[in-house]
Amino acid sequence: MPSPRLSARVHATAAPPIPTARAWAARYDGGAGPMLDLTQAVPGYPPHPALLERLAEAAGSRACAGYGPIDGDAPLREALAADLAATYAAPISAGEVTITAGCNLAFTMAMTALAGSGDAVLLPTPWYFNHRMALELLGITALPFETRAEDGFLPDPERLAAALTPETRAVVLVTPNNPTGAIIPAATIARIAGICRARGVWLVLDETYRDFLPETGAPPHTLFQDPDWTEGLVHLYSFAKSYCIPGHRVGAIVGGGAFRAELLKVVDTMQICPARAPQAALAWAIPALAGWRAGNRAIMAGRADAFRAAMARAPGWAVDALGTYFAYLRLPAGQPDAMAAAEALAARHGLLTLPGPFFGPGQQRHLRLAFANAEESALAEVPGRLNAALRR
């Protein structure tokens, strides 16, 4: 008797990278010291105590036990809209904010509203692997667009314009970038937005890490200052890193007009409503913890400086990009490609990283390290383990 069939599309999608990498670490014997896990981007410090108190209170309340609005509770939408308006120096309303059960789901729901089977979405490489996986699961072609180390892994607008195809429905930019940490300049974002508008293509900006941008006094970009921004722009945000609550799965989509009308159909189907307790706590936290967030930005900047300084003791390894949460390292000449190198670092030397091929084609000579996970004392151990790998 034949077995019932499963989805061919899901079967063709690669396994999740982080569990794959952590399976290598299961073979580590501890000889080099405690495992240093620099794979998943998780905040390397705890949530604010007052936020934890409010989360506990809201989780135990009857009010948060029932269904809420499909696009999120009004107090959180209003608080985030006000925060966005201040950040981008532009009018943004709560009616343009949709709260989601995490930013990965935000991306999946946005893509569901923007494209379908047979369409394509342009993803600059190295790309965030869950974006590629989500598109594959939806039957949407992930169109790779190479960014280069010599360009700081920044997308070149003219090359990007030439890469668009008639099937392309959207361009996705992640800034600050995961996996490289690169920050796309406002002028480059504006140029790409203009290209997308001229070609009838949506621009999706994933700004999960924007609260860790260096403080310059200027907005990260000026796209929201265009009175017609809702006709071509979708913005994604995550509360996970900024408020140290990845386990509570809260993100947001900012978009309006025709896009939002279609999005709400998807939201009602895929999530019904986001979890109520973290929404209640975050509505308080956005204005109340602004100073705490600024302090965390300084902590991350300090870890970036510490990591860069430490890498001076590993001269064979090139830091091709570094910023916010991540460092993107180029393997020394003569060493195995990234998959073999990452497995050996984890299994033999207790340093858990993610190899470049998880982030798309052409990444065989790179490793991603999420330095934000570790305190500076732990980061100081990284060069020794990298150097030990060269000696084997």
Side-chain angles (χ1 to χ4, degrees):
M1 180 180 298
S3 299
R5 290 186 293 177
L6 299 172
S7 167
R9 185 179 293 166
V10 174
H11 181 73
T13 301
I18 289 176
T20 298
R22 287 179 175 166
W24 302 331
R27 309 202 309 267
Y28 175 55
D29 63 8
M35 172 68 69
L36 299 179
D37 186 349
L38 303 184
T39 53
Q40 195 165 26
V42 295
Y45 43 82
H48 193 282
L51 177 59
L52 289 175
E53 291 176 6
R54 288 177 179 264
L55 283 166
E57 180 182 359
S61 73
R62 183 173 178 178
C64 289
Y67 287 124
I70 64 172
D71 55 354
D73 291 351
L76 179 55
R77 292 168 55 220
E78 291 165 0
L80 181 58
D83 184 67
L84 291 166
T87 299
Y88 296 97
I92 299 172
S93 73
E96 293 157 339
V97 173
T98 301
I99 304 301
T100 65
C103 199
N104 271 15
L105 183 58
F107 179 83
T108 299
M109 293 192 297
M111 289 299 111
T112 302
L114 295 176
S117 297
D119 292 333
V121 169
L122 186 145
L123 293 185
T125 58
W127 56 38
Y128 173 48
F129 47 75
N130 281 146
H131 285 174
R132 185 265 307 163
M133 293 173 70
L135 293 174
E136 289 184 356
L137 292 171
L138 292 171
I140 301 169
T141 299
L143 181 63
F145 172 75
E146 180 191 18
T147 65
R148 301 174 293 204
E150 56 267 32
D151 299 329
F153 293 105
L154 299 175
D156 178 83
E158 279 61 49
R159 288 181 52 242
L160 187 147
L164 297 176
T165 68
E167 293 75 31
T168 306
R169 296 290 173 264
V171 170
V172 177
L173 300 180
V174 181
T175 180
N177 187 258
N178 178 4
T180 67
I183 298 168
I184 305 177
T188 302
I189 294 174
R191 175 68 182 130
I192 293 174
I195 291 167
C196 289
R197 180 70 66 88
R199 298 283 290 271
V201 171
W202 287 89
L203 176 60
V204 178
L205 274 182
D206 183 333
E207 297 186 81
T208 290
Y209 299 93
R210 60 102 166 158
D211 287 322
F212 301 96
L213 285 166
E215 186 62 57
T216 65
H221 57 78
T222 58
L223 300 190
F224 286 118
Q225 296 174 13
D226 181 345
D228 297 324
W229 70 265
T230 60
E231 297 179 12
L233 174 66
V234 174
H235 164 95
L236 307 180
Y237 178 71
S238 171
F239 294 90
K241 321 301 180 184
S242 300
Y243 297 91
C244 306
I245 54 166
H248 284 283
R249 311 305 306 136
V250 189
I253 302 170
V254 184
F259 164 76
R260 191 166 192 272
E262 298 301 291
L263 174 69
L264 293 181
K265 302 175 189 176
V266 180
V267 170
D268 186 55
T269 302
M270 290 190 173
Q271 73 173 19
I272 301 180
C273 70
R276 307 288 307 285
Q279 290 188 77
L282 287 166
W284 165 84
I286 290 175
L289 298 184
W292 179 75
R293 282 191 289 161
N296 292 339
R297 181 192 303 120
I299 290 172
M300 289 299 101
R303 291 184 183 180
D305 290 342
F307 185 85
R308 189 181 294 278
M311 288 305 297
R313 303 195 304 275
W317 300 77
V319 181
D320 274 350
L322 184 149
T324 57
Y325 258 58
F326 306 109
Y328 210 54
L329 302 189
R330 179 159 33 91
L331 287 151
Q335 291 301 303
D337 279 350
M339 292 297 289
E343 182 174 1
L345 280 167
R348 300 174 187 169
H349 305 286
L351 178 59
L352 196 49
T353 68
L354 291 182
F358 287 162
F359 302 99
Q363 308 303 309
Q364 293 86 354
R365 301 303 300 168
H366 285 91
L367 302 175
R368 189 199 79 173
L369 282 70
F371 61 76
N373 299 4
E375 295 184 359
E376 294 181 18
S377 58
L379 296 176
E381 298 183 28
V382 171
R385 302 201 188 189
L386 292 173
N387 292 333
L390 297 183
R391 293 193 293 268
R392 292 189 68 91

